[in-house]
Amino acid sequence: MVREKIRVSTRTLQWKCVESRTESKRLYYGRFILSPLMKGQADTIGIAMRRALLGEIEGTCITRAKSEKIPHEYSTIIGIQESVHEILMNLKEIVLKSNLYGSCNASISVKGPRCVTAQDIILPPCVKIIDNTQHIASLTEPIDFFIGLQLEKNRGYLIKAPNNSPDGSYPIDAVFMPVRNVNHSIHSYGNGNEKQEILFLEIWTNGSLTPKEALYEGSRHLIDLFLPFLHAEEENFYLEDNQHTATLPLFTFHDRLTELRQNNKKIKWKFLFIDQLELPPKIYNCLKKSNIHTLFDLLNKSKEDLMKIENFCIEDVKKILGTIEKYFAIDLPKNQF
């Protein structure tokens, strides 16, 4: 356990980790303070951070299991102590950490008698198991035990509808949230109009990231969400006075952007984030993964550059063109696709 005395600065806003401990492989705890705040600010920040920590940070879970030997979810298998349903519940609890985009496959292939744990899961290199000792099943006889798994990275939670697939594939409810719980409390000090506040933030995580890392991720997501409002005065994101449309040749915009900058057009592409485009999740995640965060980043890429992005296809490029036209009134020719 790590503890520090709380020192409140009366000059600048500061944060500090005042307590940090690892309760188990799957439970980390951290306690942070932010001060000095004006009256009411601590509650504003605390509520926003709690929602961001619980709802915006992505996690990795097992979302589907498949075995041809399973007749239905509530069946039992000779030589296995647990029922199929209990095995699925155990798989649901496995804690993973990954750099995964979308979904991927994993598997378990062992021979009894033995105890099957998380360590027996065969994973792709981008996925890591946090606690290898997590129990999955107990094999009491010399039987072959094989299960195919689907892993997915997402946020929030996903409740799967019951689906007894004829191919032996069964969905698993997923709780993608790596942050298990968040509490915030407020300490007030001072008198009258001089009253100030200290925000205390407690964070529990599942071990796939530390509370400090979770605080960073949650803060980054909040900043991404609010950044567009910083430039709200640039209404309509106009290109120049009394002009609301522009024709940009093809999807290689670099030369056109250079020309616009030289002509001192009032474009603020650097401050227009792709979050505003309401792109499909697949396209949005691909762009983010390729460090394309703003419209400026996007428009400086050629069609060929975009096609080199992993999992990208020509239909995705067309979708981007249509979205830019819709939200920014830019006419783009499509005869090149």
Side-chain angles (χ1 to χ4, degrees), residues 92-114:
K92 174 183 175 180
E93 298 298 322
I94 301 296
V95 178
L96 303 169
K97 180 177 183 178
S98 77
N99 297 320
L100 182 66
Y101 163 74
S103 62
C104 70
N105 295 324
S107 64
I108 301 173
S109 181
V110 297
K111 185 178 181 64
R114 58 168 296 177

Side-chain angles (χ1 to χ4, degrees), residues 242-257:
N242 300 321
Q243 179 180 335
H244 297 281
T245 62
T247 300
L248 304 183
L250 307 182
F251 198 67
T252 307
F253 296 111
H254 182 73
D255 294 338
R256 178 59 173 162
L257 286 173

Side-chain angles (χ1 to χ4, degrees), residues 72-86:
H72 59 81
E73 181 177 348
Y74 297 98
S75 63
T76 58
I77 300 176
I78 297 175
I80 301 179
Q81 183 174 312
E82 292 82 3
S83 68
V84 174
H85 179 73
E86 289 173 322

